[in-house]
Amino acid sequence: MTEPTPDWQDKEDGSCRLQTADPLGILKSTRTVVELGENVWINQDQIEQLAKRWVQEDSQGVEAGTPLWDEQYHFSDGTARTVNWLLLLDALNFCFWAEKDQPRWTITYQNQTLNGYWAEAAALKRAVEEGIPLWDAEYLTTLSEDTMASIFRGSATIPLFEQRVQHAREVGRVLLEHYNGQFTNAIEQAERNAVKLVLLLERDFPSFRDVSSYRGHTVRFLKRAQITVADISGSFHGQGWGNFSEQDQLTIFADYKLPQVLRDYNVLEYQAQLAKTIDNKELILPGSEEEVEIRACTIWACELLRQSMQRLGRRVTAADIDMRLWLLGQRSDEMKPYHRTRTIYY
Ligand SMILES: Nc1nc2c(c(CN[C@H]3C=C[C@H](O)[C@@H]3O)cn2[C@@H]2O[C@H](COP(=O)(O)O)[C@@H](O)[C@H]2O)c(=O)[nH]1
């Protein structure tokens, strides 16, 4: 007696078959874009090949595995202060690349020159070590531009500086108004459920509302809301404040590095004009059809990769696939450029 097909599972045999409940409505809404899109395609053969390769690597113990949470560049004291610090980290976790032919923003920390995400994390850790209480909601509400400039001091300027100041103040304000200054209260209100916490972030923290529209359809990505939950889980090693239910219901986090890696594996293919724009590091407008298609196809390419690995007997979550691809993207100098969309969402 085979199990009855749950009502949310697709019956028709389309390539983008829904095999999870998709409580965040991300897979369903992005599937429309994948089906209608004319600028970005998913190559199913390449997905099967990558799935086979990863399953073989894993069986030979080469598994990239989810590395331990980094504590060299992340503030981590195991208390509610760390939870607030991580919320701030991910409220500012976007868009680290420089204008065309300009040097990236970097900082020096512990005699190392860091850029991108690692520079952001280390800058926020350095600030706490220098006595700036970034875990204090009250303090964040009136964070000055001078203080923020000092926090992110380094070579060149961190992009979208003004927006980052506004996001930090918004985090403080919303924490005070709704959660008595502690994001741990939000975790408890979400009953320690990953999906509920992502939806709470979307509802209460405007800068996290990463939702687009595409030919009249609403398209949900919620990248920073989802990575906030994943980072709290990572920092607390899945225990205590990091012990969430339904974490396997999260999708990958649609940033600018995953599409770059998926294109390098020929899993994503770009229409000629779009490929030229990206290879020339020209800007792609936020909310444009091209940008939404890149992000939607990234999400579905990873979902199809997950399904393909499962058919090969290897159960992984979207977060496992995300981490593996993102780490590959940290060594992406040889790859074709990632797409340039100036946005606060990723
Ligand atoms: N999809 C996905 N995107 C992620 C991350 C991370 C870092 N998180 C992990 C790191 C340690 C912990 O284990 C965290 O889990 C940053 N980003 C995004 O990448 C971009 C920055 O790239 P680059 O310019 O090269 O620094 C930017 O959009 C940023 O938002 C992730 O994990 N997945």
Side-chain angles (χ1 to χ4, degrees), residues 75-297:
F75 170 68
S76 173
D77 72 349
T79 75
R81 286 182 171 184
T82 295
V83 175
N84 276 10
W85 185 90
L86 289 163
L87 175 63
L88 177 67
L89 171 77
D90 284 318
L92 308 180
N93 183 2
F94 55 86
C95 199
F96 298 109
W97 44 269
E99 289 301 324
K100 188 168 177 176
D101 304 328
Q102 296 298 314
R104 267 197 168 206
W105 163 71
T106 67
I107 75 156
T108 303
Y109 177 70
Q110 293 179 350
N111 297 324
Q112 287 195 305
T113 300
L114 303 168
N115 73 75
Y117 169 81
W118 291 114
E120 186 224 346
L124 296 176
K125 182 183 178 193
R126 176 177 67 180
V128 171
E129 289 167 343
E130 292 173 348
I132 300 178
L134 291 180
W135 31 262
D136 180 326
E138 178 86 37
Y139 179 86
L140 292 179
T141 57
T142 57
L143 187 71
S144 73
E145 293 200 1
D146 285 352
T147 304
M148 190 66 120
S150 161
I151 289 169
F152 286 129
R153 67 185 183 278
S155 70
T157 310
I158 190 168
L160 299 176
F161 176 80
E162 252 313 301
Q163 288 87 333
R164 295 185 208 267
V165 175
Q166 295 313 321
H167 285 198
R169 292 176 182 164
E170 174 185 281
V171 164
R173 190 172 62 248
V174 176
L175 281 178
L176 283 181
E177 282 168 8
H178 296 262
Y179 298 105
N180 196 24
Q182 298 298 341
F183 195 58
T184 48
N185 291 327
I187 294 175
E188 288 183 336
Q189 189 176 112
E191 298 167 331
R192 296 169 185 266
N193 175 291
V195 170
K196 287 181 181 172
L197 192 56
V198 168
L199 294 173
L200 179 152
L201 279 161
E202 177 190 13
R203 184 191 66 204
D204 294 345
F205 293 84
S207 88
F208 285 77
R209 282 181 202 143
D210 177 9
V211 179
S212 296
S213 76
Y214 182 87
R215 299 188 192 168
H217 300 276
T218 297
V219 189
R220 297 166 58 74
F221 292 109
L222 299 177
K223 180 257 178 191
R224 288 198 287 105
Q226 294 192 94
I227 205 169
T228 300
V229 177
D231 285 351
I232 295 170
S233 172
S235 172
F236 286 82
H237 311 294
Q239 310 298 321
W241 295 118
N243 182 6
F244 295 110
S245 60
E246 289 207 307
Q247 221 173 315
D248 63 344
Q249 294 301 309
L250 304 188
T251 68
I252 57 96
F253 319 124
D255 72 328
Y256 51 84
K257 299 305 281 288
L258 263 60
Q260 180 188 30
V261 178
L262 290 169
R263 184 187 179 203
D264 193 57
Y265 281 124
N266 302 309
V267 164
L268 288 189
E269 293 170 352
Y270 292 159
Q271 183 266 359
Q273 182 51 48
L274 174 59
K276 193 158 160 282
T277 302
I278 292 172
D279 294 347
N280 292 339
K281 300 181 184 177
E282 287 156 18
L283 293 181
I284 291 174
L285 289 179
S288 64
E289 290 200 356
E290 292 82 357
E291 187 220 15
V292 177
E293 288 179 31
I294 291 170
R295 300 186 79 196
C297 287

